[in-house]
Amino acid sequence: MKILVQKFGGTSVKDDESRAAAEKHIVQAVKDGYKVIVVVSAIGRLGDPYATDSLLSLIDGDETQLDLREKDLLLSVGETISATVFTNQLKKNGLPAAALTGQDAGIITNDDFSNAKVLRVETEPIFEFFKKVDVVVVTGFQGVTETGHITTIGRGGSDTTAALLGKAFKAERIDIFTDVSGMMTADPRLVEQAKFLEVVSYQEVSNMAHEGAKVIHPRAVELAMQATIPLRIRSTYLPVTDLGTLVTHSELQVGHYRLVTGIAHVSNLVQFTIETTKQSPETIFSLLANAGISVDFINIFPHQVVFTLVKHEAELAKIIFSENNIAISTLEDCAKVAVVGAGITGVPGVTAKIVTSLAAEDIAILQSADSYTTIWILVSGENLQNAVCTLHDVFL
């Protein structure tokens, strides 16, 4: 049995026209002899009635009085509506299909509600449905505990669901459909000259996703890499012959020897600087960890620590530090820019090019860090577009 996994995001199932565009890809896969596992997100985005953020607004968002288990009951509804509406359309058009919740599909999680971890995928239920239908439409983002409680698996969960099912069913490929044609060398909204990438490695696309490229969740890439299943990032609205960006192992990648793959960015960050003459770094980071705050871009010096937080977590951190009489200095509206590429490893002069090109534009580097495949810099938000465009011009 040949199995293909296709995931359609919220904008790909938002209305009849979008679902019709998605359906043509499913029909083609069936014609090609595949049994197809379709994973769907909630319909649309904030403002659309069944989008996840719209559902959150019904319970006062972060101010809700519901506990996490009850909150998951509501948030799982969006994907359930999406799966059933889409399945109804497929059936009307003569395609044998069935709609399944995460529970129906055998996705078993722990009880860490709102951010549950998938313990296993039981394959028997979907295989049973494949005896009767060619397509199963599975709700993304959700699963069920051993004791039968509905859970959600965190933002980006539909991508993760698709990768988990692809791994469990040894799928030939996982297709992630979105409203763009594939991976680009930068955000085309900032860089007019951004280029389409035909092939990228798992590691490169994971790094791009971690650093702000929103076409795929990095956890999904990591799962596909573990299972050595090729991924394709494709547009719902392009012809079925357009295969988008292939994500595979770097040694199979035609463009493996390019120096830089892309420039990614994350905006709306707050930089914290805290002197450690009175408070140890252990105390500072323990307070944040105990509050469930994830720290990024950390530089630790003999007498101070510097790090960034996303805007909403920064506000909570300020309260925590104030309550503990810890003096802080903050710089609002910062942005992290990442130069990503497998070809960076072991090549001298990359950092020199970054520093020189930004200095020529009078763009101050507030922080920096690097790994084998990524170099990060922090700049002020007002310099974000200029920094991304400058680095794209230099490297790409």
Side-chain angles (χ1 to χ4, degrees):
M1 182 183 295
K2 296 198 307 179
I3 294 177
L4 188 66
V5 176
Q6 297 182 334
K7 179 262 177 178
F8 295 95
T11 58
S12 297
V13 292
K14 65 181 179 181
D15 52 31
D16 288 342
E17 183 180 358
S18 297
R19 288 188 288 271
E23 183 180 349
K24 68 186 181 184
H25 296 286
I26 301 169
V27 169
Q28 185 61 50
V30 172
K31 285 181 179 177
D32 290 341
Y34 288 101
K35 294 287 190 177
V36 188
I37 300 174
V38 174
V39 177
V40 292
S41 299
I43 295 173
R45 289 178 177 163
L46 180 62
D48 295 308
Y50 308 119
T52 300
D53 288 326
S54 300
L55 294 172
L56 272 172
S57 70
L58 297 175
I59 54 170
D60 305 316
D62 292 335
E63 304 300 318
T64 183
Q65 299 302 301
L66 299 181
D67 62 29
L68 293 178
R69 182 192 64 80
E70 294 164 330
K71 187 177 174 183
D72 275 2
L73 277 176
L74 175 65
L75 295 188
S76 66
V77 168
E79 278 70 21
T80 302
I81 292 172
S82 182
T84 51
V85 169
F86 199 11
T87 302
N88 182 63
Q89 176 177 309
L90 297 178
K91 287 184 171 183
K92 280 199 303 182
N93 292 331
L95 199 62
L100 306 181
T101 65
Q103 179 175 9
D104 295 333
I107 300 172
I108 311 301
T109 76
N110 65 8
D111 59 359
D112 185 9
F113 296 101
S114 85
N115 194 29
K117 304 298 184 293
V118 175
L119 303 176
R120 66 184 183 278
V121 176
E122 297 175 347
T123 58
E124 294 85 357
I126 286 180
F127 275 130
E128 280 299 310
F129 274 97
F130 274 152
K131 292 177 181 178
K132 299 173 286 185
V133 300
D134 293 322
V135 181
V136 293
V137 182
V138 179
T139 53
F141 181 58
Q142 63 171 254
V144 66
T145 67
E146 301 273 15
T147 53
H149 293 291
I150 294 171
T151 56
T152 64
I153 60 175
R155 288 304 176 99
S158 293
D159 285 354
T160 303
T161 299
L164 284 163
L165 290 169
K167 184 177 180 181
F169 285 87
K170 298 180 174 58
E172 289 197 9
R173 193 175 75 237
I174 301 166
D175 286 347
I176 304 294
F177 286 93
T178 180
D179 52 3
V180 297
S181 59
M183 287 292 297
M184 305 287 285
T185 53
D187 186 337
R189 292 170 296 184
L190 296 185
V191 182
E192 289 184 7
Q193 295 79 20
K195 303 172 184 176
F196 171 74
L197 291 164
E198 289 188 5
V199 186
V200 293
S201 69
Y202 293 116
Q203 188 175 35
E204 286 171 323
V205 77
S206 181
N207 287 345
M208 291 282 284
H210 272 297
E211 304 309 327
K214 300 184 185 301
V215 293
I216 190 170
H217 196 276
R219 177 61 178 145
V221 182
E222 290 160 8
L223 286 164
M225 180 169 58
Q226 290 169 13
T228 64
I229 298 174
L231 277 167
R232 282 200 178 270
I233 301 168
R234 305 175 63 184
S235 170
T236 305
Y237 304 99
L238 290 177
V240 295
T241 53
D242 191 299
L243 295 177
T245 299
L246 173 65
V247 184
T248 185
H249 279 299
S250 58
E251 59 264 27
L252 301 178
Q253 181 184 316
V254 174
H256 177 49
Y257 297 104
R258 64 189 168 214
L259 182 67
V260 169
T261 301
I263 314 295
H265 71 276
V266 179
S267 55
N268 296 316
L269 302 177
V270 178
Q271 184 192 52
F272 283 71
T273 301
I274 304 177
E275 301 300 323
T276 54
T277 51
K278 294 182 180 179
Q279 297 290 342
S280 69
E282 295 93 329
T283 299
I284 293 166
F285 293 119
S286 292
L287 286 169
L288 295 171
N290 292 337
I293 295 174
S294 177
V295 182
D296 191 21
F297 219 152
I298 306 165
N299 293 133
I300 301 176
F301 303 102
H303 303 297
Q304 68 178 16
V305 296
V306 185
F307 56 87
T308 63
L309 296 174
V310 294
K311 182 67 176 176
H312 69 278
E313 290 191 335
E315 299 307 312
L316 175 57
K318 291 174 186 177
I319 295 170
I320 292 169
F321 290 136
S322 176
E323 291 173 346
N324 287 273
N325 298 313
I326 296 175
I328 63 172
S329 173
T330 60
L331 188 60
E332 306 287 327
D333 188 27
C334 295
K336 182 171 66 167
V337 180
V339 178
V340 179
I344 289 174
T345 304
V347 176
V350 178
T351 300
K353 284 186 177 181
I354 293 171
V355 172
T356 301
S357 62
L358 295 183
E361 295 291 322
D362 293 322
I363 299 173
I365 297 175
L366 307 174
Q367 271 180 269
S368 65
D370 68 274
S371 72
Y372 286 113
T373 61
T374 307
I375 297 173
W376 300 269
I377 59 163
L378 191 73
V379 299
S380 66
E382 65 182 4
N383 286 328
L384 170 61
Q385 183 165 9
N386 192 11
V388 173
C389 288
T390 297
L391 293 173
H392 192 274
D393 285 345
V394 168
F395 292 105
L396 293 158

